[in-house]
């Protein structure tokens, strides 16, 4: 096999602290890849908050060195020892440890577990699958959780309530708004840039926009009931306030920690209002759930809306873009064309 390009991270850690870190585009060979039973010619990856942390030398994501980052990949099977996959199959992989403990998708080739791959639905182009990525997959898992727990769009409208989406301009938030609005839910979008992003969020389908400052400071254990459901990608005080404002019997999904991993709240929303808190883990989602989520994305995510929230960049630009995603300067989805 010829060599290929990849972003490679190298770092040294002492006492849990990163003391040295580099991230650069290199040419490597197949010998650099880790074990796996399927080799994929990668076409696209994307940039998630986790990727920004890894490329930017922040702790908590990269668990081995050297490492190719990228928690998502989209491409075509080149070779397979797994009978389920054949050369030419179009596949997507979200999570499963790639970009963390196993070489990931920010490269022109990957070797991965066949168990973790999902066949891309015919209705979704490869570039669209990358635009969806872990963020969109996570958003869909959140929507499925709301549905399983009885958050019905007709009932939400009739009650005069809405579904709150925090971190609304990020990848998870953008896809969640688009999917929820398409299903008929009234959506309230919470963002730190309400004036700047009002048009963008409204175009995605948000009916109301609030400043994240309304949710980001400590609040009372129980507050006025505002939300029939919540998709939260922020954590900390934002999640606690969302719980305190959720209506009786409502459901809150938690999938991120942009504000922090702490949960400085009380049990009162659970025992006095019957609120359900559902954790969303996209990394270890079982195969059947992955396939269900991708089938629903093919049906429920509008192509034009997805295109409007997507920016495509070449491989080398993923390195400076990592700081932008950490600094909250990106919106929507950033696709990386690893061949460019």
């Amino acid at each position: 096999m010829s060599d290929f390009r990849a972003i490679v991270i190298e770092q040294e850690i002492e006492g849990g602290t990163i003391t040295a870190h580099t991230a650069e585009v290199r040419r490597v060979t197949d010998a650099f890849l880790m074990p796996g039973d399927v080799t994929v010619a990668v076409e696209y990856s994307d940039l998630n908050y986790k990727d920004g942390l890894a490329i930017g030398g922040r702790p908590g994501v990269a668990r081995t060195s050297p490492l190719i980052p990228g928690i998502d990949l989209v491409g075509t099977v080149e070779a397979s020892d797994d009978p389920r996959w054949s050369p030419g199959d179009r596949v997507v992989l979200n999570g499963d440890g790639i970009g963390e403990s196993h070489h990931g998708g920010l490269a022109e080739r990957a070797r991965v577990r066949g168990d973790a791959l999902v066949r891309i639905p015919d209705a979704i182009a490869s570039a669209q699958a990358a635009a969806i990525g872990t963020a969109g997959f996570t958003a869909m898992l959140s929507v499925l959780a709301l549905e399983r727990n009885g958050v019905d769009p007709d009932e939400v409208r009739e009650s005069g309530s809405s579904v709150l989406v925090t971190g609304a301009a990020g990848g998870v938030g953008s896809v969640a708004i688009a999917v929820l609005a398409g299903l008929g839910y009234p959506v309230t979008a919470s963002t730190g840039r309400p004036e700047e992003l009002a048009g963008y969020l409204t175009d995605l389908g948000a009916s109301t926009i609030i400043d994240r400052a309304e949710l980001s400071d400590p609040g009372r254990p129980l507050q006025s009931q505002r939300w029939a459901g919540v998709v939260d990608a922020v954590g900390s005080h934002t999640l606690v306030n969302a719980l305190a404002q959720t209506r009786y019997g409502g459901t809150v999904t938690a999938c991120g920690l942009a504000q922090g991993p702490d949960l400085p709240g009380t049990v009162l929303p659970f025992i006095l209002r019957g609120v359900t808190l559902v954790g969303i883990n996209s990394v270890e989602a079982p195969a059947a759930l992955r396939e269900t989520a991708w089938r629903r994305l093919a049906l429920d995510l509008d192509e034009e809306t997805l295109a409007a929230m997507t920016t495509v960049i070449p491989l080398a630009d993923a390195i400076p873009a990592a700081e932008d995603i950490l600094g909250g300067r990106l919106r929507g989805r950033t696709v990386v064309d690893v061949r460019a």
Side-chain angles (χ1 to χ4, degrees):
M1 279 287 183
S2 60
D3 58 359
F4 59 93
R5 295 182 309 142
I7 293 177
V8 178
I9 295 169
E10 290 198 23
Q11 58 188 25
E12 297 177 7
I13 300 177
E14 294 182 8
T17 300
I18 298 174
T19 58
H21 172 86
T22 61
E24 60 184 0
V25 177
R26 294 185 192 172
R27 299 204 72 89
V28 296
T29 67
D30 278 5
F32 186 78
L33 295 176
M34 294 177 176
D37 49 12
V38 180
T39 300
V40 178
V42 182
E43 300 168 36
Y44 301 99
S45 185
D46 53 61
L47 200 65
N48 299 281
Y49 195 77
K50 276 187 175 181
D51 303 319
L53 292 171
I55 295 170
R58 309 300 201 274
V61 176
R63 298 187 176 93
T64 187
S65 179
L67 176 71
I68 298 173
I71 65 172
D72 292 324
L73 64 82
V74 175
T76 304
V77 173
E78 280 190 341
S80 176
D81 293 326
D82 185 324
R84 293 169 294 181
W85 303 107
S86 302
D89 288 342
R90 290 194 314 131
V91 294
V92 58
L93 195 161
N94 309 116
D96 198 53
I98 67 168
E100 300 182 59
S101 56
H102 191 95
H103 288 324
L106 287 168
E108 294 173 310
R109 187 172 296 131
R111 189 180 295 133
V112 297
R113 295 188 323 118
D115 283 344
L117 295 172
V118 173
R119 198 177 307 275
I120 300 174
D122 291 340
I124 298 178
S126 295
Q128 292 172 325
I132 293 169
T134 284
F137 174 61
T138 301
M140 193 71 242
L141 292 178
S142 300
V143 173
L144 291 172
L146 294 180
E147 291 178 343
R148 285 196 305 271
N149 283 278
V151 182
D152 178 78
D154 292 334
E155 293 179 0
V156 175
R157 286 196 304 272
E158 290 169 5
S159 71
S161 185
S162 67
V163 174
L164 171 69
V165 177
T166 68
V172 174
S174 294
V175 176
I177 291 169
V179 171
L180 288 165
L183 291 171
Y185 291 91
V187 180
T188 297
S190 168
T191 177
R193 297 175 285 168
E195 295 183 1
E196 176 187 348
L197 296 175
Y200 170 75
L201 296 170
T202 300
D203 288 345
L204 291 182
S207 51
T208 306
I209 298 166
I210 63 172
D211 194 311
R212 70 182 179 198
E214 293 187 28
L215 300 166
S216 58
D217 292 329
R220 298 188 310 277
L222 286 178
Q223 302 170 34
S224 297
Q225 300 182 52
R226 304 172 70 182
W227 323 118
V230 178
V231 175
D232 177 66
V234 177
S236 193
H237 292 293
T238 296
L239 175 54
V240 170
N241 284 319
L243 288 164
Q245 295 174 11
T246 297
R247 296 169 63 91
Y248 183 89
T251 295
V252 177
T253 66
C255 64
L257 41 68
Q259 186 178 12
D262 55 324
L263 191 66
T266 74
V267 299
L268 294 185
F270 310 118
I271 64 175
L272 295 183
R273 289 184 180 164
V275 172
T276 298
L277 176 60
V278 181
I280 303 297
N281 180 348
S282 61
V283 175
E284 299 178 16
L289 182 56
R290 290 176 182 272
E291 292 167 0
T292 297
W294 277 97
R295 283 196 301 269
R296 286 290 303 274
L297 284 161
L299 292 171
D300 297 331
L301 180 57
D302 180 75
E303 292 184 19
E304 293 183 3
T305 305
L306 178 62
M309 70 174 80
T310 302
T311 301
V312 181
I313 63 174
L315 182 64
D317 285 2
I319 296 175
E323 290 298 330
D324 290 332
I325 197 169
L326 295 180
R329 294 184 291 275
L330 297 183
R331 71 181 193 187
R333 300 292 294 129
T334 300
V335 169
V336 181
D337 184 344
V338 302
R339 304 161 299 178

